[in-house]
Amino acid sequence: MKLKLNQLLGAFLLSFILFSCSNSDSEQPRGAYEQGILIMNEGNFGTNDGEVYHLDPATQTLKSNVFEAENLRPFAGLLEDMVPAGENLYLVANTGKVEIVDAGTFKSTGAVSGGLDQPRSLEVVGSKLFISDYGPYNASYATPDSYVAVVDGLNGGVVSKKIEVSNKPEDLFAYGKYIFVAGSEEGKVEIIDADKEEVIKVLEVDGHPAQFFESDGRVWLFSTGNDEVYFQSFHMDNFTKATTNALPVANATGRIAFGNDNIFYVVTSTGWPDYIDGVSRVSVLGPELDLDWMSGSGFYGIGYDKSRDELYVANSNGFQGNGTITVYDKEGAEIRSFETGRGPSGFLFY
């Protein structure tokens, strides 16, 4: 997805970590990895070599394999999402685990390593973790047993409950004690009461839900269709749909970057056999700005550094070796490029 980053990947879906203050109201110093940019490298299927890189954009210093360097063991999974919450950073692997690290040091603080199948993203409500999961494949490679897993404890542990949801849940969004679930395959948003640990409402939405975000004081959902993308907002007082804006963006992949001034960047791909990729530059409120803003091949992830007004486009290079990151200014002029890990797919900007 995500990053919840979400990207979503980001962040996907991409957020800041808030730091607690001392009695003198002075801000606690940030850790080494709570500054700059974290790059999520998904890894290659089969070798499960997902990893996180850290970039200092001021000096262009790139540190590779951060998890392994700080914990003296490989991440050993396919990295799907990175979710900051409090002092922790949750690394969601769709190979059946969640690794939890201290956001500042990247030292392991725990894990969820049992009871999961194909986790996609995560949200924290109170002292509980809620993890969207495709569930196992059946004989037809469908996922009829998708769920949101519940874990009691911010530093992981065992799955205490699985809440049944529609097929292929992706992004999650927490609002008070409620969790919105993006049901990508069936076009649904399910709302979970975190206290009751059950679905209390189901909304039918347009397209295939991919990622939630906030803009202009409203909660939005980004969804994809064959020939359109949808930006849908919600009434949060009664959990109903408020507005739907459809834009003629074809072949959207679900990866989106949130720029300044309500301008978003959507990755598109024709897929096999042509694999013509692009980036559409659109406004959440419409009308569209430039549907063919950028073209190329191998586009796999995207993110926007709002503080520097720079767009980061990740290229998988066909998973033949490491990927490449290219940085552009807001007008689309290339600034620089550099090599990163296998399958770069999302970013977290501090």
Coordinates of all heavy atoms in Angstrom, one line a residue, residues 229-286:
V229 N -10.1 8.2 -10.5 CA -9.8 8.1 -9.1 C -10.8 8.9 -8.3 O -11.4 9.8 -8.9 CB -8.3 8.6 -8.7 CG1 -7.3 7.7 -9.4 CG2 -8.2 10.0 -9.1
Y230 N -11.0 8.5 -7.1 CA -12.1 9.1 -6.3 C -11.5 9.7 -5.0 O -10.7 9.0 -4.3 CB -13.2 8.1 -6.0 CG -13.8 7.4 -7.2 CD1 -13.2 6.2 -7.6 CD2 -14.8 8.0 -7.8 CE1 -13.8 5.6 -8.7 CE2 -15.4 7.3 -8.9 CZ -14.8 6.1 -9.4 OH -15.4 5.5 -10.5
F231 N -11.9 10.9 -4.7 CA -11.6 11.5 -3.4 C -13.0 11.7 -2.6 O -13.8 12.5 -3.1 CB -10.9 12.8 -3.5 CG -9.5 12.7 -4.1 CD1 -9.3 13.0 -5.5 CD2 -8.5 12.4 -3.3 CE1 -8.0 12.9 -6.0 CE2 -7.2 12.3 -3.8 CZ -7.0 12.5 -5.2
Q232 N -13.2 10.9 -1.6 CA -14.4 10.9 -0.9 C -14.2 11.3 0.6 O -13.3 10.9 1.3 CB -15.0 9.5 -0.9 CG -15.2 9.0 -2.3 CD -15.5 7.5 -2.4 OE1 -16.6 7.0 -2.2 NE2 -14.4 6.7 -2.7
S233 N -15.1 12.2 1.0 CA -15.0 12.7 2.4 C -16.1 12.2 3.2 O -17.1 11.7 2.7 CB -15.0 14.3 2.4 OG -16.2 14.8 2.0
F234 N -16.1 12.4 4.6 CA -17.0 11.8 5.5 C -17.5 12.8 6.5 O -16.8 13.7 6.9 CB -16.4 10.6 6.2 CG -15.9 9.5 5.3 CD1 -14.6 9.5 4.8 CD2 -16.7 8.5 4.9 CE1 -14.1 8.5 4.0 CE2 -16.3 7.5 4.0 CZ -15.0 7.5 3.6
H235 N -18.8 12.6 6.9 CA -19.3 13.3 8.1 C -18.9 12.5 9.3 O -19.3 11.4 9.4 CB -20.8 13.4 8.0 CG -21.4 14.2 6.9 ND1 -21.2 15.6 6.8 CD2 -22.1 13.9 5.8 CE1 -21.8 16.0 5.7 NE2 -22.4 15.0 5.1
M236 N -18.1 13.1 10.2 CA -17.5 12.4 11.3 C -18.5 12.4 12.5 O -18.2 11.6 13.5 CB -16.2 12.9 11.7 CG -15.1 12.9 10.5 SD -14.9 11.2 9.8 CE -14.0 10.4 11.1
D237 N -19.6 13.1 12.4 CA -20.5 13.1 13.5 C -21.5 11.9 13.5 O -21.9 11.4 14.5 CB -21.3 14.4 13.6 CG -22.0 14.7 12.3 OD1 -21.7 14.1 11.3 OD2 -22.9 15.6 12.3
N238 N -21.7 11.5 12.2 CA -22.6 10.3 12.1 C -22.1 9.2 11.2 O -22.8 8.3 10.8 CB -24.0 10.8 11.6 CG -23.9 11.5 10.3 OD1 -22.9 11.5 9.6 ND2 -25.1 12.0 9.8
F239 N -20.8 9.4 10.8 CA -20.1 8.4 10.0 C -20.9 8.0 8.7 O -21.3 6.9 8.4 CB -19.9 7.1 10.8 CG -19.0 7.3 12.0 CD1 -19.1 6.5 13.1 CD2 -18.0 8.3 11.9 CE1 -18.2 6.7 14.2 CE2 -17.2 8.5 13.0 CZ -17.3 7.7 14.2
T240 N -21.1 9.1 7.9 CA -21.7 8.9 6.6 C -20.9 9.6 5.6 O -20.0 10.4 5.9 CB -23.2 9.5 6.5 OG1 -23.1 10.9 6.9 CG2 -24.1 8.8 7.5
K241 N -21.1 9.2 4.3 CA -20.3 9.9 3.2 C -20.8 11.3 3.1 O -22.0 11.6 3.1 CB -20.5 9.1 1.9 CG -19.5 8.0 1.7 CD -19.7 7.3 0.4 CE -19.5 8.3 -0.8 NZ -19.6 7.6 -2.1
A242 N -19.9 12.2 2.8 CA -20.2 13.6 2.6 C -20.1 14.0 1.1 O -21.1 14.5 0.5 CB -19.3 14.5 3.5
T243 N -18.9 13.9 0.5 CA -18.8 14.3 -0.8 C -17.9 13.3 -1.6 O -17.2 12.5 -1.0 CB -18.0 15.7 -0.9 OG1 -16.7 15.5 -0.3 CG2 -18.8 16.8 -0.2
T244 N -18.1 13.3 -2.9 CA -17.3 12.4 -3.8 C -16.8 13.3 -5.0 O -17.6 13.9 -5.7 CB -18.1 11.2 -4.3 OG1 -18.5 10.4 -3.2 CG2 -17.2 10.4 -5.2
N245 N -15.5 13.3 -5.2 CA -14.9 14.0 -6.4 C -14.2 12.9 -7.2 O -13.3 12.2 -6.7 CB -13.9 15.0 -6.0 CG -14.5 16.2 -5.2 OD1 -15.7 16.5 -5.4 ND2 -13.8 16.7 -4.2
A246 N -14.7 12.8 -8.5 CA -14.1 11.8 -9.4 C -13.2 12.5 -10.4 O -13.7 13.5 -11.0 CB -15.2 11.0 -10.1
L247 N -12.0 12.0 -10.6 CA -11.1 12.7 -11.6 C -10.7 11.6 -12.6 O -10.5 10.4 -12.3 CB -9.9 13.2 -10.9 CG -10.1 14.3 -9.9 CD1 -8.8 14.8 -9.2 CD2 -10.8 15.5 -10.5
P248 N -10.5 12.0 -13.9 CA -10.3 11.0 -14.9 C -8.8 10.6 -15.0 O -8.1 10.8 -16.0 CB -10.7 11.8 -16.2 CG -10.4 13.2 -15.9 CD -10.7 13.4 -14.4
V249 N -8.4 9.9 -14.0 CA -7.0 9.4 -13.9 C -7.1 7.9 -14.2 O -7.6 7.1 -13.3 CB -6.3 9.7 -12.6 CG1 -4.9 9.0 -12.6 CG2 -6.2 11.2 -12.3
A250 N -6.6 7.4 -15.3 CA -6.7 6.0 -15.6 C -5.5 5.2 -15.1 O -4.4 5.8 -15.0 CB -6.8 5.8 -17.1
N251 N -5.7 4.0 -14.8 CA -4.6 3.0 -14.4 C -3.9 3.5 -13.1 O -2.7 3.2 -13.0 CB -3.6 2.9 -15.5 CG -4.2 2.4 -16.8 OD1 -5.0 1.5 -16.8 ND2 -3.9 3.1 -17.9
A252 N -4.6 4.1 -12.2 CA -3.9 4.5 -10.9 C -3.6 3.2 -10.1 O -4.3 2.3 -10.1 CB -4.8 5.4 -10.1
T253 N -2.4 3.2 -9.5 CA -1.9 2.1 -8.8 C -2.3 2.1 -7.3 O -2.1 1.1 -6.6 CB -0.4 2.0 -8.8 OG1 0.2 3.1 -8.1 CG2 0.1 2.0 -10.3
G254 N -2.8 3.2 -6.8 CA -3.1 3.3 -5.4 C -2.0 4.0 -4.6 O -2.2 4.3 -3.4
R255 N -0.9 4.3 -5.2 CA 0.2 5.0 -4.6 C 0.1 6.5 -4.8 O 0.0 6.9 -6.0 CB 1.6 4.4 -5.0 CG 1.8 2.9 -4.7 CD 3.2 2.5 -4.9 NE 3.4 1.1 -4.8 CZ 3.6 0.4 -3.7 NH1 3.6 1.1 -2.5 NH2 3.7 -0.9 -3.6
I256 N 0.1 7.2 -3.7 CA -0.1 8.7 -3.8 C 0.8 9.4 -2.9 O 1.1 8.9 -1.8 CB -1.6 8.9 -3.5 CG1 -2.0 10.4 -3.7 CG2 -2.0 8.5 -2.1 CD1 -3.5 10.7 -3.6
A257 N 1.2 10.6 -3.3 CA 1.9 11.5 -2.4 C 1.2 12.8 -2.2 O 0.5 13.3 -3.1 CB 3.3 11.9 -3.1
F258 N 1.2 13.3 -1.0 CA 0.4 14.4 -0.6 C 1.3 15.7 -0.5 O 2.2 15.8 0.3 CB -0.2 14.2 0.8 CG -1.0 12.9 0.9 CD1 -0.4 11.8 1.4 CD2 -2.3 12.9 0.4 CE1 -1.2 10.6 1.5 CE2 -3.0 11.7 0.4 CZ -2.5 10.6 1.0
G259 N 1.1 16.6 -1.5 CA 1.9 17.8 -1.6 C 1.3 18.9 -0.9 O 0.4 18.8 -0.1
N260 N 1.8 20.1 -1.1 CA 1.3 21.3 -0.5 C 0.1 21.8 -1.3 O -0.1 21.5 -2.4 CB 2.4 22.4 -0.4 CG 3.5 22.0 0.6 OD1 3.2 21.6 1.7 ND2 4.7 22.2 0.2
D261 N -0.7 22.7 -0.6 CA -1.8 23.3 -1.3 C -2.8 22.4 -1.9 O -3.4 22.6 -3.0 CB -1.3 24.3 -2.4 CG -0.4 25.4 -1.8 OD1 -0.7 25.9 -0.7 OD2 0.6 25.6 -2.5
N262 N -3.1 21.2 -1.2 CA -4.0 20.2 -1.7 C -3.7 19.7 -3.1 O -4.6 19.2 -3.8 CB -5.5 20.8 -1.7 CG -6.0 21.0 -0.3 OD1 -5.8 20.2 0.6 ND2 -6.7 22.1 -0.1
I263 N -2.4 19.7 -3.5 CA -2.0 19.1 -4.7 C -1.4 17.7 -4.4 O -0.6 17.5 -3.5 CB -0.9 19.9 -5.4 CG1 -1.5 21.3 -5.6 CG2 -0.5 19.3 -6.7 CD1 -2.7 21.4 -6.5
F264 N -1.9 16.7 -5.1 CA -1.5 15.3 -4.9 C -0.9 14.7 -6.2 O -1.3 15.1 -7.3 CB -2.7 14.4 -4.5 CG -3.3 14.8 -3.1 CD1 -4.6 14.5 -2.8 CD2 -2.6 15.6 -2.2 CE1 -5.1 14.9 -1.6 CE2 -3.1 16.0 -1.0 CZ -4.4 15.6 -0.7
Y265 N 0.0 13.7 -6.0 CA 0.7 13.1 -7.1 C 0.4 11.6 -7.1 O 0.7 10.9 -6.1 CB 2.2 13.3 -6.9 CG 2.5 14.8 -6.9 CD1 2.5 15.6 -5.8 CD2 2.9 15.5 -8.1 CE1 2.8 16.9 -5.7 CE2 3.2 16.8 -8.1 CZ 3.2 17.5 -6.9 OH 3.5 18.9 -6.9
V266 N -0.3 11.1 -8.2 CA -0.8 9.8 -8.2 C 0.0 9.0 -9.3 O 0.2 9.4 -10.4 CB -2.3 9.8 -8.7 CG1 -2.8 8.4 -8.8 CG2 -3.1 10.6 -7.7
V267 N 0.5 7.8 -8.8 CA 1.3 6.9 -9.7 C 0.3 6.1 -10.6 O -0.6 5.5 -10.0 CB 2.2 6.0 -8.9 CG1 2.9 5.0 -9.9 CG2 3.3 6.8 -8.1
T268 N 0.6 6.0 -11.9 CA -0.2 5.2 -12.8 C 0.7 4.2 -13.5 O 1.9 4.4 -13.6 CB -0.9 6.1 -13.8 OG1 0.1 6.8 -14.7 CG2 -1.8 7.2 -13.2
S269 N 0.0 3.1 -13.9 CA 0.8 2.1 -14.7 C -0.2 1.3 -15.5 O -1.2 0.9 -15.0 CB 1.5 1.2 -13.7 OG 2.2 0.2 -14.5
T270 N 0.2 1.1 -16.8 CA -0.7 0.3 -17.7 C -0.5 -1.2 -17.4 O -1.4 -2.0 -17.7 CB -0.3 0.5 -19.1 OG1 1.1 0.2 -19.3 CG2 -0.5 2.0 -19.5
G271 N 0.6 -1.6 -16.7 CA 0.8 -3.0 -16.4 C 1.2 -3.7 -17.6 O 1.6 -3.2 -18.6
W272 N 1.2 -5.1 -17.5 CA 1.6 -5.9 -18.6 C 0.7 -5.8 -19.8 O -0.5 -5.6 -19.6 CB 1.6 -7.4 -18.1 CG 2.2 -8.4 -19.1 CD1 3.5 -8.7 -19.2 CD2 1.4 -9.1 -20.0 NE1 3.6 -9.6 -20.2 CE2 2.3 -9.9 -20.7 CE3 0.1 -9.1 -20.4 CZ2 2.0 -10.7 -21.8 CZ3 -0.3 -10.0 -21.5 CH2 0.6 -10.7 -22.1
P273 N 1.2 -5.8 -21.0 CA 2.6 -6.0 -21.4 C 3.4 -4.7 -21.6 O 4.6 -4.8 -21.9 CB 2.5 -6.8 -22.7 CG 1.2 -6.2 -23.3 CD 0.3 -5.8 -22.2
D274 N 2.7 -3.6 -21.6 CA 3.4 -2.3 -22.0 C 4.2 -1.7 -20.9 O 5.3 -1.2 -21.1 CB 2.4 -1.3 -22.5 CG 1.7 -1.8 -23.8 OD1 2.4 -2.4 -24.6 OD2 0.5 -1.6 -23.8
Y275 N 3.7 -1.8 -19.7 CA 4.4 -1.2 -18.5 C 4.7 0.3 -18.7 O 5.9 0.7 -18.5 CB 5.6 -2.0 -18.1 CG 5.2 -3.3 -17.5 CD1 5.4 -4.5 -18.2 CD2 4.7 -3.4 -16.2 CE1 5.1 -5.7 -17.6 CE2 4.3 -4.6 -15.6 CZ 4.5 -5.8 -16.3 OH 4.2 -7.0 -15.8
I276 N 3.8 1.1 -19.2 CA 4.0 2.5 -19.3 C 3.5 3.2 -18.0 O 2.3 3.1 -17.6 CB 3.2 3.1 -20.5 CG1 3.7 2.4 -21.8 CG2 3.3 4.6 -20.6 CD1 2.8 2.7 -23.0
D277 N 4.4 3.8 -17.3 CA 4.1 4.4 -16.0 C 4.0 5.9 -16.1 O 4.6 6.5 -17.0 CB 5.1 4.0 -14.9 CG 5.2 2.4 -14.7 OD1 4.2 1.8 -15.1 OD2 6.2 1.9 -14.2
G278 N 3.4 6.5 -15.1 CA 3.3 7.9 -15.1 C 3.0 8.5 -13.7 O 2.7 7.7 -12.8
V279 N 3.0 9.8 -13.6 CA 2.5 10.5 -12.4 C 1.5 11.6 -12.9 O 1.8 12.4 -13.7 CB 3.7 11.1 -11.7 CG1 3.1 12.0 -10.5 CG2 4.7 10.1 -11.1
S280 N 0.3 11.5 -12.3 CA -0.7 12.5 -12.5 C -0.7 13.5 -11.4 O -0.6 13.1 -10.2 CB -2.1 11.9 -12.7 OG -2.2 11.1 -13.8
R281 N -0.7 14.8 -11.7 CA -0.8 15.9 -10.7 C -2.2 16.4 -10.6 O -2.7 16.9 -11.6 CB 0.2 17.0 -11.1 CG 0.4 18.1 -10.1 CD 1.6 19.0 -10.5 NE 1.8 20.1 -9.6 CZ 1.3 21.3 -9.8 NH1 0.6 21.6 -10.8 NH2 1.6 22.2 -8.9
V282 N -2.8 16.2 -9.4 CA -4.3 16.5 -9.3 C -4.5 17.2 -8.0 O -3.7 17.3 -7.1 CB -5.1 15.2 -9.3 CG1 -4.9 14.4 -10.6 CG2 -4.8 14.3 -8.1
S283 N -5.7 17.8 -7.9 CA -6.2 18.5 -6.7 C -7.3 17.7 -6.1 O -8.2 17.2 -6.8 CB -6.7 19.9 -7.0 OG -7.4 20.5 -5.9
V284 N -7.3 17.6 -4.8 CA -8.4 16.8 -4.1 C -9.8 17.4 -4.4 O -10.8 16.8 -4.4 CB -8.1 16.7 -2.6 CG1 -8.1 18.1 -2.0 CG2 -9.1 15.8 -2.0
L285 N -9.8 18.7 -4.6 CA -11.1 19.4 -4.8 C -11.4 19.6 -6.3 O -12.5 20.0 -6.6 CB -11.0 20.8 -4.2 CG -10.7 20.8 -2.7 CD1 -10.6 22.3 -2.2 CD2 -11.8 20.1 -1.9
G286 N -10.5 19.2 -7.2 CA -10.7 19.2 -8.6 C -10.8 20.7 -9.1 O -10.8 21.6 -8.3

